[in-house]
Amino acid sequence: MKFANAFKETMFRFNLTGLEIAEKTGLTTTQISHFRNGIKNPRIDSVEKILEVFTQEQREFMLNLVAKAYKDETIASEAAKEEE
């Protein structure tokens, strides 16, 4: 879900539509919708296509969200281990 949440937030923040991203990446609007809603996780080549059409600011924003989600998950996991 980390990718889906970051992707959705990036699309919202920068007023990007699924159709716009699909047209620029060659992916289908259904694929974009599935990635955005966490129905399917994208393959690495799909992530690369998405990141290639984003501006540098959009890429950095989304990747920072993903990194933060992983960091938060790691901290929560370590805290749970300490409680055991």
Side-chain angles (χ1 to χ4, degrees):
M1 277 302 260
K2 291 170 204 65
F3 179 86
N5 291 337
F7 188 40
K8 184 185 299 187
E9 182 64 27
T10 302
M11 290 178 68
F12 177 78
R13 168 96 184 262
F14 294 97
N15 297 316
L16 302 170
T17 66
L19 178 61
E20 178 183 7
I21 295 170
E23 289 175 345
K24 290 180 179 179
T25 61
L27 299 168
T28 67
T29 54
T30 300
Q31 287 174 298
I32 298 299
S33 177
H34 286 177
F35 301 157
R36 182 183 62 236
N37 294 308
I39 296 169
K40 291 187 177 180
N41 286 319
R43 294 185 333 205
I44 190 68
D45 61 320
S46 296
V47 174
E48 288 173 343
K49 288 177 183 180
I50 292 167
L51 293 175
E52 285 175 2
V53 301
F54 279 1
T55 65
Q56 181 173 344
E57 181 183 12
Q58 293 164 340
R59 276 193 303 273
E60 288 175 1
F61 180 82
M62 188 170 103
L63 294 174
N64 281 330
L65 291 176
V66 171
K68 182 183 180 325
Y70 276 104
K71 181 180 176 186
D72 292 347
E73 182 179 279
T74 301
I75 290 169
S77 177
E78 289 174 2
K81 287 179 185 177
E82 290 177 7
E83 290 179 9
E84 293 176 354

